[in-house]
Amino acid sequence: IDLLSVLWRAWEQNDEYEWKGPFYFIQGADPQFGLIKSWAVGDTNNGDDEWKEEIKLTEQAVQAVNKLNPKPKFFVLCGDLIHGMPGKWRKDQERDLKNVLKNTDQNIPLVFVSGNHDIGNAPTRETIDNYCKSWGDDYFSFWVGGVFFLVLNSQLYFDSSKCPELKQAQDVWLNEQLAVAEKHKCKHIIVFQHIPLFLREPDEDHDYFNLEKSVRQEIMEKFHKAGIKAVFSGHYHRNAGGSYRGLEMVVTSAIGCQLGEDTHGLRVVVVTDEKIVHRYYSLDELSSQGMEKELLDMLAKQI
């Protein structure tokens, strides 16, 4: 199955520039087939030769999303789709993940975001091309109900030393997209990327889980000036977040391996005329019988 065709069939035929009222989408991150075993055995480079647990968790996530009523506008996965980067298990991990995701309701488009394990910590043109062949473009934009969404390749902000021209190309494209958003007077602008700008504080020290401070500051200012409301990311395998001058940074824990105290889960994001509200649910909560009422209540409170 061509997973991307699900996305474009849903949106290409309709004019999505106009605000049509509140809606919601589902955000997930880091199914990362292979990490649970490799983390457990203490070998994150070569221990990813088993991913049965990730298959079960991602199946549960897909089943939970399919049961939601009303249906979400789309289901976005914010990177680290698989663990091998590259590794001898990479093709098998990709195959098994696609076999799970193809069971997503055909009326719920899938959106894919590239993570460091998908294209490498220091990506090259080849690793990015390989990702694009498997999952689609590493950066792109789309409209849903008057809201403008931007998918970014955050690895180009983390380390573009092996492909500086690709980072420059994304920068030029992003400026063009923000000009488009201003022209169309969109209701909101929302960004998806794998690596968070920051985990809790805009001026926190740089480490593996956020962007370098000077790069971060430049992006935060650009986003603030463009009126971007929120950035949704993964990578941390824990829930976190903060804000910078009205820009909310939302860090969502993993479908797969947990590195903190959170449960395997997904985030429900409600978009209204004035604001964006969200809550993280465990997969068990999302699958529960009471979820439909909770979802309707969540939407009703925002209208």
Side-chain angles (χ1 to χ4, degrees):
I1 182 172
D2 180 1
L3 294 171
L4 292 173
S5 69
V6 179
L7 170 63
W8 304 126
R9 275 204 307 274
W11 291 327
E12 68 184 355
Q13 297 172 353
N14 300 315
D15 180 7
E16 292 287 349
Y17 294 121
E18 302 298 321
W19 174 252
K20 297 168 183 166
F23 64 87
Y24 82 100
F25 63 86
I26 300 295
Q27 184 221 0
D30 301 273
Q32 204 160 341
F33 280 25
L35 178 59
I36 291 176
K37 161 80 183 305
S38 62
W39 189 262
V41 301
D43 183 359
T44 56
N45 292 322
N46 302 297
D48 59 329
D49 59 344
E50 186 180 301
W51 49 91
K52 291 179 182 177
E53 193 167 349
E54 286 95 338
I55 289 176
K56 289 180 182 177
L57 290 164
T58 309
E59 285 176 341
Q60 186 181 357
V62 167
Q63 290 164 6
V65 170
N66 286 347
K67 283 172 57 179
L68 293 172
N69 185 34
K71 293 189 183 302
K73 284 288 188 180
F74 59 89
F75 177 17
V76 58
L77 286 171
C78 282
D80 278 5
L81 306 175
I82 59 169
H83 184 67
M85 63 164 196
K88 61 182 178 180
W89 306 110
R90 183 181 182 89
K91 287 185 179 180
D92 292 336
Q93 290 168 359
E94 284 191 346
R95 178 201 63 214
D96 287 352
L97 178 56
K98 288 182 178 182
N99 282 338
V100 174
L101 293 176
K102 72 182 182 183
N103 294 315
T104 306
D105 188 310
Q106 292 286 301
N107 294 308
I108 303 174
L110 288 160
V111 180
F112 301 111
V113 182
S114 63
N116 58 305
H117 279 268
D118 303 311
I119 60 175
N121 285 324
T124 65
R125 182 177 289 276
E126 181 183 10
T127 64
I128 291 174
D129 284 348
N130 287 338
Y131 169 86
C132 293
K133 288 173 185 174
S134 290
W135 302 102
D137 291 343
D138 57 321
Y139 57 89
F140 57 95
S141 64
F142 60 94
W143 291 81
V144 175
V147 177
F148 193 46
F149 293 90
L150 292 162
V151 173
L152 298 181
N153 181 344
S154 57
Q155 212 59 36
L156 294 175
Y157 295 125
F158 190 85
D159 184 352
S160 62
S161 59
K162 295 181 179 178
C163 56
E165 74 284 0
L166 297 185
K167 177 188 180 297
Q168 184 179 11
Q170 179 174 248
D171 288 341
V172 170
W173 172 86
L174 178 57
N175 290 335
E176 292 170 347
Q177 295 300 302
L178 294 177
V180 167
E182 184 177 14
K183 177 183 177 182
H184 284 284
K185 306 296 182 187
C186 56
K187 184 64 67 174
H188 304 293
I189 310 174
I190 295 174
V191 170
F192 299 122
Q193 61 187 56
H194 179 61
I195 300 179
L197 299 171
F198 56 90
L199 298 175
R200 302 189 188 280
E201 300 292 339
D203 61 349
E204 69 194 20
D205 290 340
H206 168 56
D207 65 19
Y208 174 79
F209 288 111
N210 60 22
L211 293 181
E212 192 274 325
K213 289 178 80 169
S214 63
V215 174
R216 179 196 316 165
Q217 185 63 37
E218 182 180 344
I219 296 172
M220 290 190 305
E221 269 303 300
K222 179 182 294 230
F223 285 3
H224 166 69
K225 288 176 181 176
I228 292 173
K229 292 287 182 66
V231 177
F232 289 87
S233 70
H235 189 50
Y236 192 42
H237 293 254
R238 287 154 283 204
N239 287 310
S243 63
Y244 172 81
R245 302 181 69 185
L247 168 70
E248 185 177 11
M249 181 68 247
V250 183
V251 184
T252 295
S253 196
I255 294 171
C257 185
Q258 299 297 313
L259 301 184
E261 302 301 317
D262 296 295
T263 54
H264 309 281
L266 297 168
R267 190 172 298 277
V268 175
V269 185
V270 176
V271 182
T272 74
D273 185 29
E274 295 184 352
K275 57 187 176 179
I276 298 155
V277 295
H278 50 86
R279 180 182 163 187
Y280 185 83
Y281 291 90
S282 72
L283 295 181
D284 289 339
E285 287 175 323
L286 211 61
S287 305
S288 68
Q289 290 185 330
M291 190 60 210
E292 182 174 340
K293 181 181 183 302
E294 177 146 353
L295 188 57
L296 291 170
D297 288 347
M298 193 175 179
L299 284 163
K301 286 177 183 177
Q302 306 306 326
I303 297 174

